[in-house]
Amino acid sequence: MNRSIQKDAGGDDRQRIAEGRHADPFAYLGGPHGAERRVRIYHPEAVEVTFKDGTAVPRIAGTDFFEAPLPAALKAPYVFCWRDAGGSWRSTYDPYSFPPVLSEFDLHLYAEGRHWHAQRFLGAHCTTVEGVAGVAFAVWAPNAERVSVVGDFNRWDGRLHPMRLRLEAGVWELFIPGLEPGALYKFELRGHGGCGPMLKTDPCARRYQQRPETAAVVEPPEAYAWEDGEWMERRRREGSAWQQAPWSIYEVHLGSWQRDAQGGFLDYRTLAHELVAYVQRTGFTQIELLPITEHPLDDSWGYQTTGYFAPTSRFGGPDDFRYFIDYCHRHGIGVILDWVPAHFPRDAWALARFDGTPLYEHADPRQGEHRDWGTLIFNFGRNEVRSFLLSSALYWLEAYHLDGLRVDAVASMLYLDYSREDGDWVANVHGGNENLEAIAFLREVNTVTHGEQPGTCIIAEESTSWPQVTRPTYLGGLGFTMKWNMGWMHDTLTYLGEDPVHRRYHHDQLTFGLLYAFTENFVLPFSHDEVVHGKGSLLDRMPGDDWQRLANLRLLYAYQFTYPGKKLLFMGCEIGQRSEWDADSTVDWAALSDPRHAGVQRLIGDLNGLYRGEPALHRHDFSEAGFAWVDCHDAEQSVLSYLRCGDAGERAMVVLNFTPVPRHGYRLGVPVAGYWAERMNTDSALYGGSDVGNAGGVIAEPVPWSGHPYSVVLTLPPLAGLVLVGEGA
């Protein structure tokens, strides 16, 4: 119904409200206002309005506004009734008769960048105000001229529910009585300078519609009945015990691990049962999920996040994801989530230029844009952005019981000139290329999460030589618990990619890593990044004929599982998949019908069992006390040998033959006498090998060799790794 706005007292307020331009609707709407207790209601679809007691609220002539004194018998919040053009009567509490909902304390902490739980007041929350149930909405948009809540409950009309601005923090709020969980909503903003209106989804929503739809969904208060109390108590109690524990991480993209019979996604609950059973069977201790934070584009694999507090609806709802983690914990499996605070996508309905200005991102494209990825960079120097991201990190650990976060693209956060040409970046205040604000933010994330959720881990994907990534912040470090060892990964794959006849000239690619192996707490990753974008599968990267390629792959895994550091393997690698990862398909499970691929899978299970069961292989993954060379100099024969050591005299000797030539009578020094049991031989026929070996073990002879008082004589199988455990005299 179009009516011209009469120019009288209040006419300007009414015009701005009707045009969706009013920044302070509570100053005019609702009430009661003044000594006369006047109430004003704006309702474009109402033909007639009354109070609940039947008292009429007359229309202001020529407008869609209604005004009358509040009857003495009524008080705020009050109910009004309205009749539509079809003659139907409805009633509702007036949203503009409720007081502010947000506390000054929350707003103060948020504006200072020190709020660790911003999602508790931002977003949409089912609550009760003045005894009335409804939903409280809040959003940070300091430069907007007007913000409204729109949704299926008001036919997406931005005139109907304009919000109140809490000027001290730039946060807009509105309590809408009568709304219930499941309601769809967005925020409609008129941006700085009158641009817009713009429709934006809620940055702090805990659930979204399934793509391609982008509305947020009102979630009920969390009521999930967790059953992982024993796991959570042990995590809290043991704190940093993870350093001495075996960590073997299975990296998974939930959308392409398995699909249903029709090719659709499995849901979180089905995935819980299927994935946990598989991970238990193959011996991994943790699952790491590629980002399941809500994202619009499947092809981004989750790395272009738009929902920093919501698990993607592709696989179910929030409680379904809670069930996934709960089930993992109840079956002894930890869960780590890829978390992406480095950048976000440009989608106009999400974070980009949220209030019409660069709000979450930098204004200067030399600071605010990732040229390579086509994404935007968070402004870590802005207090509210830090509160937003800190809250997100802690939220996943608290509300979903996740055991850790793997922080993506840390190098891009640390360096202002990351992947930039000269002149395309802005130096810091000291003239350097270090991103001081991002460094401070990362330190704060690590300090807060470790303090609030002891026993959780924050893992850095950091590909440079930045010092002390995993050292405490009080010692000048960044405070991460672990870091991916990208240097070791690149050197190892480069070496294994060489034809064995040439490997003697590249022996240092195997030995160099020990010069820095204990400078950080390292994870040894063969991740999704190594099997996409034309790189081929790990098996593809091995040289030789098919037998040699499979043998090389088994040798690679023996090296990874016995080298100092925690382990990570991407799905499909554990079966020697021949094709590179395709996110639109699934792991090539059919390959397991081939005994050679089934043998690779069996080897991974046995390596996991050996790694978990033998303290020498995991107690000192981050310490020189757990490692000693036996012989690192045999480049001519491309053989590498070393000891791994535990706390109570446990010793495991690893011998790796990187050529297809069996070596008989190969003598190596050992520190103790007695029997050395051959606990692993990757050339075993069980794994598809040729079954060359040492008949279960060898006895050390009192023959000094290479600085040791005893020695053993071994047969080294071709392209294979041996693990021998000293059992004493």
Side-chain angles (χ1 to χ4, degrees):
M1 181 184 301
N2 289 323
R3 293 183 174 90
S4 62
I5 302 298
Q6 181 177 336
K7 297 295 184 181
D8 58 9
D12 183 60
D13 284 316
R14 293 195 294 271
Q15 182 163 349
R16 286 187 290 134
I17 289 170
E19 292 176 353
R21 297 187 295 108
H22 206 298
D24 187 12
F26 280 82
Y28 183 79
L29 294 178
H33 293 281
E36 296 183 353
R37 291 168 44 87
R38 301 197 71 79
V39 166
R40 304 183 190 100
I41 296 166
Y42 175 61
H43 208 302
E45 296 184 358
V47 173
E48 181 181 355
V49 175
T50 71
F51 289 116
K52 188 177 182 180
D53 65 357
T55 302
V57 184
R59 180 189 300 277
I60 298 175
T63 76
D64 290 321
F65 290 82
F66 300 79
E67 182 176 4
L70 184 67
L74 301 180
K75 64 178 182 178
Y78 52 82
V79 173
F80 70 85
C81 305
W82 61 281
R83 179 172 62 86
D84 64 21
S88 298
W89 280 91
R90 304 172 197 179
S91 64
T92 182
Y93 277 93
D94 187 350
Y96 299 96
S97 66
F98 288 87
V101 175
L102 303 183
S103 75
E104 292 184 2
F105 183 67
D106 279 327
L107 296 174
H108 175 74
L109 285 181
Y110 184 69
E112 285 198 340
R114 297 190 297 114
H115 208 304
W116 301 343
H117 300 95
Q119 81 288 346
R120 292 182 182 174
F121 73 94
L122 293 175
H125 297 276
C126 295
T127 188
T128 299
V129 179
E130 302 285 331
V132 179
V135 177
F137 295 90
V139 63
W140 178 55
N143 301 307
E145 293 186 352
R146 186 269 300 167
V147 181
S148 295
V149 185
V150 296
D152 50 2
F153 48 87
N154 64 10
R155 294 161 301 285
W156 304 92
D157 188 338
R159 300 172 299 169
L160 296 183
H161 288 103
M163 305 176 78
R164 179 201 315 263
L165 174 61
R166 300 295 297 272
L167 190 60
E168 65 270 37
V171 172
W172 300 74
E173 67 164 339
L174 183 66
F175 174 71
I176 302 182
L179 282 189
E180 296 180 345
L184 302 179
Y185 72 98
K186 288 186 180 183
F187 296 112
E188 184 183 277
L189 299 89
R190 188 173 293 278
H192 182 70
C195 70
M198 306 172 291
L199 271 181
K200 294 283 189 175
T201 201
D202 182 2
C204 291
R206 290 169 292 146
R207 186 173 186 174
Y208 297 92
Q209 286 181 291
Q210 190 170 147
R211 55 87 181 98
E213 302 302 325
T214 58
V217 183
V218 174
E219 270 290 287
E222 182 185 340
Y224 182 82
W226 289 94
E227 298 180 22
D228 64 347
E230 183 178 344
W231 174 280
M232 295 296 285
E233 172 58 25
R234 184 170 64 250
R235 186 177 88 181
R236 183 199 63 78
R237 184 177 64 249
E238 294 181 355
S240 62
W242 55 267
Q243 295 192 36
Q244 288 79 42
W247 273 54
S248 179
I249 303 167
Y250 187 56
E251 189 189 31
V252 179
H253 177 253
L254 290 183
S256 59
W257 182 68
Q258 284 187 4
R259 297 279 182 95
D260 64 23
Q262 290 72 43
F265 294 139
L266 300 181
D267 61 73
Y268 287 120
R269 293 176 184 257
T270 302
L271 283 162
H273 291 262
E274 297 293 331
L275 188 53
V276 165
Y278 182 76
V279 166
Q280 286 184 315
R281 191 163 65 248
T282 46
F284 292 93
T285 63
Q286 269 85 17
I287 295 169
E288 180 176 316
L289 303 176
L290 269 64
I292 56 79
T293 41
E294 192 60 89
H295 52 282
L297 183 65
D298 289 358
D299 290 346
S300 80
W301 314 329
Y303 288 100
Q304 294 197 10
T305 297
T306 51
Y308 278 81
F309 298 89
T312 178
S313 55
R314 288 166 174 80
F315 314 120
D319 279 353
D320 298 319
F321 185 54
R322 290 185 177 96
Y323 179 88
F324 176 91
I325 297 166
D326 197 14
Y327 190 85
C328 288
H329 285 175
R330 287 187 282 121
H331 291 80
I333 305 298
V335 186
I336 303 162
L337 174 66
D338 264 11
W339 183 62
V340 191
H343 62 118
F344 59 92
R346 295 172 178 268
D347 299 81
W349 49 265
L351 293 179
R353 297 186 66 88
F354 188 81
D355 63 0
T357 68
L359 190 63
Y360 288 88
E361 68 271 37
H362 285 276
D364 189 332
R366 296 174 299 169
Q367 297 171 289
E369 295 182 6
H370 267 305
R371 310 293 197 203
D372 294 347
W373 305 331
T375 53
L376 301 174
I377 301 170
F378 281 106
N379 182 352
F380 301 107
R382 188 152 198 172
N383 290 345
E384 297 88 350
V385 172
R386 291 200 306 276
S387 284
F388 174 79
L389 290 172
L390 277 167
S391 298
S392 172
L394 198 54
Y395 178 72
W396 292 105
L397 304 178
E398 288 182 344
Y400 286 95
H401 292 197
L402 283 162
D403 302 292
L405 302 173
R406 177 264 195 184
V407 183
D408 180 62
V410 170
S412 76
M413 300 171 69
L414 294 175
Y415 298 96
L416 295 166
D417 60 349
Y418 179 86
S419 192
R420 291 183 181 274
E421 301 292 333
D422 291 343
D424 192 32
W425 59 282
V426 179
N428 63 34
V429 293
H430 306 295
N433 68 341
E434 301 88 358
N435 189 332
L436 302 180
E437 290 83 5
I439 294 165
F441 165 74
L442 290 171
R443 286 174 171 159
E444 189 172 10
V445 165
N446 290 320
T447 300
V448 169
T449 54
H450 293 149
E452 294 294 302
Q453 292 292 310
T456 58
C457 292
I458 310 295
I459 303 169
E461 187 222 7
E462 203 287 304
S463 55
T464 74
S465 57
W466 188 279
Q468 300 196 100
V469 172
T470 59
R471 295 300 176 252
T473 56
Y474 59 80
L475 295 178
L478 294 182
F480 285 95
T481 38
M482 287 183 273
K483 167 183 171 173
W484 279 17
N485 194 337
M486 308 294 278
W488 174 88
M489 179 272 296
H490 284 296
D491 286 349
T492 298
L493 291 181
T494 300
Y495 177 87
L496 266 295
E498 296 285 346
D499 189 292
V501 74
H502 300 304
R503 287 176 178 171
R504 69 181 72 180
Y505 305 114
H506 303 277
H507 199 68
D508 62 328
Q509 289 180 314
L510 297 181
T511 59
F512 176 72
L514 265 300
L515 295 177
Y516 62 86
F518 307 111
T519 60
E520 303 279 8
N521 302 334
F522 280 122
V523 176
L524 310 177
F526 293 129
S527 74
H528 65 281
D529 280 330
E530 309 317 314
V531 292
V532 289
H533 300 318
K535 295 176 183 176
S537 66
L538 290 185
L539 183 61
D540 277 339
R541 299 171 74 162
M542 302 297 111
D545 59 24
D546 208 42
W547 187 93
Q548 290 190 16
R549 291 166 64 213
L550 285 159
N552 271 303
L553 187 66
R554 297 192 300 267
L555 173 58
L556 172 69
Y557 292 153
Y559 183 45
Q560 178 191 26
F561 274 82
T562 59
Y563 192 92
K566 308 310 180 186
K567 326 301 177 188
L568 181 142
L569 200 60
F570 184 58
M571 65 182 200
C573 296
E574 82 281 5
I575 66 171
Q577 181 166 304
R578 293 177 180 271
S579 58
E580 73 174 23
W581 173 44
D582 178 3
D584 294 324
S585 183
T586 70
V587 171
D588 183 17
W589 299 111
L592 291 173
S593 62
D594 184 331
R596 297 171 298 174
H597 290 275
V600 174
Q601 185 189 54
R602 186 179 298 115
L603 171 69
I604 292 296
D606 289 351
L607 282 170
N608 268 321
L610 182 63
Y611 173 60
R612 296 172 68 170
E614 181 52 56
L617 292 177
H618 65 251
R619 289 292 291 173
H620 295 291
D621 269 332
F622 306 140
S623 168
E624 294 179 356
F627 182 89
W629 286 115
V630 175
D631 188 351
C632 63
H633 300 297
D634 193 1
E636 188 61 29
Q637 299 184 89
S638 298
V639 175
L640 199 66
S641 53
Y642 47 85
L643 289 170
R644 296 298 311 278
C645 308
D647 285 333
E650 305 100 340
R651 295 179 180 86
M653 181 168 66
V654 181
V655 189
L656 307 163
N657 178 13
F658 290 96
T659 70
V661 180
R663 305 199 182 279
H664 302 280
Y666 194 91
R667 186 177 291 273
L668 286 170
V670 292
V672 295
Y675 188 70
W676 286 75
E678 188 176 84
R679 296 283 303 280
M680 170 58 63
N681 179 350
T682 65
D683 191 51
S684 167
L686 287 171
Y687 311 132
S690 55
D691 231 10
V692 174
N694 295 278
V698 292
I699 297 175
E701 303 172 348
V703 177
W705 198 262
S706 61
H708 291 289
Y710 304 94
S711 59
V712 294
V713 178
L714 299 171
T715 295
L716 305 187
L719 291 174
L722 301 176
V723 180
L724 297 101
V725 175
E727 298 184 351

